Amino acid sequence: MKNDITKIRMDFPILSEKIYGKPLVYFDNAATTQKPRIVIDTINEYYSKYNANIHRGVHFLSNFTTTATENARETIRKFINAGSHDEIIFTRGTTEAINLVAFSFGEAFISEGDEIIVSEMEHHSNIVPWQMLCERKKAVLKVIPFDDNGNLETEKLNNLISDRTKLISVTQVSNALGTINPVEDIIKTAHLKNIPVLIDGAQAAQHIKVDVQKLNCDFYVFSGHKIYGPTGIGVLYGKKELLNQMPPYQGGGEMISKVTFAKTTFNELPFKFEAGTPNYIDTIALAKAIEYIENTGLDKIEKYESELLEYATTKIKTLDWIKITGEAKHKSSVLSFVMDGIHPSDAGVLLDQMGIAIRTGTHCAEPVMQHFGITGTARASFAFYNTFEEVDKLIEGLKRVKQMFG
Ligand code: PMP
């Protein structure tokens, strides 16, 4: 893969841009990834040539775009190996997908005194919707802790589970620590007690091959914009038998079967959960992003990104004034760190002047910061279009930051 990087980078127009006259070094991939030309061109092409509202037209354009949207659903079904296209629901992103489950699963299955388990390393998107549900239903939120290296203490899960546990919702990869969690084990443990599990794949699906049937998770969610697709589109996978028992999340067009003022009946899956005009053009472009990474090869991507992470980790460890936050046994493309006497945002601003984009702050994971008693970290996050030379630039940049701060 190393030899293909120059060619791969040419597929991503933004990577040739200059920031303050310097070549862009983009290390903020956990926040959002850049888009290959095929994604940008697809959006342009559909708005230029094929735009029409889907699912209800009799004319050529509507039918054309409807077919493309449903083909995109099939591409995504295959990508995560879901059993049926009925199990693929389009949302605005991971956040909306989790809110959908928290609301609809909550309405169907949660009562006063029931318990939901999340982990201490969740993104706010996988905490707050459950807190809101618990507030609404007078249910209880329990938390699986992680150790100081960032490994989830899954051995504590059995003690947290009770006969009131109704759902476990955990991230496959932490956006703040990079930890890859043993979600297969969590799912097996939960299923022994018939507890469904939601996996937040926002930081996983772009790095690790996902097979929802093999994982046997009950729900799986991810965002298009983190997997080289457009913003405003995401995916909820849910097992049919659960989705069928859950009420709609929003009411409106398309999610109904028949409407009268006396009674409304709802559409079948997946449309029951897709109220209103869907984001069909970004759906079609998301499928192009997925085809792009499948053609590149997720196994190659995973291998190359781990080499990049290992290289960056080894290099950053030579700087004795930097401490990595999160050194779990299994990690994905995230390198979070704190610096002696330098605030992460000061370092971020100075690196930006050098054309290097990293993220600083809490990464929407404040409980992770509370665990370490820090206010934030600096985070470099990698994608397969990043290079070893760019990592060298980051290290040189950090050395200059240190010099500037004396
Ligand atoms: N979960 C994780 C682990 C994330 O990293 C993110 C995005 N940073 C989200 C959820 C939320 O994703 P989105 O903002 O695309 O809905």
Side-chain angles (χ1 to χ4, degrees), residues 321 342 350 396-406:
W321 45 278
I342 305 170
L350 289 174
E396 287 315 306
L398 285 167
K399 286 181 186 163
R400 282 176 61 194
V401 169
K402 177 70 173 165
Q403 276 165 8
M404 289 181 211
F405 278 89

Side-chain angles (χ1 to χ4, degrees), residues 30 93-96 123 125 171 173 175 200 202-203 223 225-226:
T94 301
T95 302
E96 191 179 54
H123 186 279
S125 291
T171 195
V173 173
N175 69 313
D200 175 349
Q203 296 294 342
S223 295
H225 71 99
K226 293 189 198 274

Side-chain angles (χ1 to χ4, degrees), residues 20 337 339 342-361 377-379 394 397-398 401 405:
Y20 312 118
F337 53 93
M339 294 150 284
I342 305 170
H343 196 276
S345 61
D346 290 337
V349 167
L350 289 174
L351 287 170
D352 177 52
Q353 300 294 316
M354 305 171 209
I356 304 170
I358 63 157
R359 188 148 293 246
T360 63
T377 73
R379 180 186 74 184
L394 172 68
L398 285 167
V401 169
F405 278 89

Side-chain angles (χ1 to χ4, degrees), residues 252 254-268:
E254 204 56 45
M255 52 73 73
I256 50 88
S257 156
K258 175 130 190 74
V259 177
T260 68
F261 281 112
K263 184 171 169 58
T264 289
T265 51
F266 303 124
N267 205 341
E268 294 175 342

